[in-house]
Every structure is written in structure tokens, then in C-alpha cells.
Amino acid sequence: HPEVTDYTQYLEDRVLLVDQTLEQLEQEDPEGAQMIVLKFFGGLTNKEVARILGITERSVERRWAYVRTRLFELIQAEI
């Protein structure tokens, strides 16, 4: 089925795009990239992320707003 193959390729391209932009973010903001991995892929709470990174939960909330936006900006720039 060509539709399935096209969709599979589309998904693979999207995963690769997220990986590449996450690597780019990691170079400019390593802690921010780690936060994305912990929250987005790891499903951790702000409290858990704060404990792992050694920062306050409020700092996680502020940084999360920034790094999430920055990741989406990088993705948009590549699309």
C-alpha cells in the first residue's frame, strides 16, 4: 500500500527532524535539551525534573516555557 509507505516515511522524517533540532538545542542550551528529554520523552513531572537537575520547581516551569518554544522555533525553521 503506497499510503502506508508514504505515511511511514513521513513519520520517519518527523522523528529525524525532532532529533536533529534537539541536537541543535543541546549545543546552545544543554540543560534545556535535557529538560525536554526528561519531560517530553521521559514523562517526568516538574518536581522530578527539578530534583534531577538540582534546580527549583519554579525554575523548571520558567525554563520549560522557554526551551519548549525554542525547540518548536528550530523545528519550524527546518520545515
Side-chain angles (χ1 to χ4, degrees):
H1 294 352
E3 301 86 26
V4 172
T5 303
D6 291 345
Y7 186 67
T8 300
Q9 185 61 51
Y10 170 81
L11 289 178
E12 289 173 1
D13 290 346
R14 292 295 179 225
V15 168
L16 184 59
L17 177 61
V18 169
D19 184 57
Q20 290 170 342
T21 53
L22 190 54
E23 285 180 19
Q24 186 177 350
L25 180 63
E26 188 173 29
Q27 290 183 8
E28 68 181 60
D29 185 355
E31 187 178 82
Q34 184 179 12
M35 188 176 293
I36 287 176
V37 170
L38 293 171
K39 285 185 61 67
F40 192 70
F41 298 109
L44 300 183
T45 65
N46 287 348
K47 187 174 189 172
E48 292 167 325
V49 171
R51 190 180 74 244
I52 289 169
L53 297 180
I55 60 177
T56 66
E57 194 171 343
R58 180 71 184 126
S59 291
V60 171
E61 292 168 5
R62 281 192 307 271
R63 301 257 323 175
W64 175 246
Y66 168 76
V67 298
R68 184 182 61 205
T69 299
R70 183 66 182 131
L71 180 66
F72 287 123
E73 287 173 350
L74 292 171
I75 289 171
Q76 286 297 333
E78 295 295 322
I79 295 178

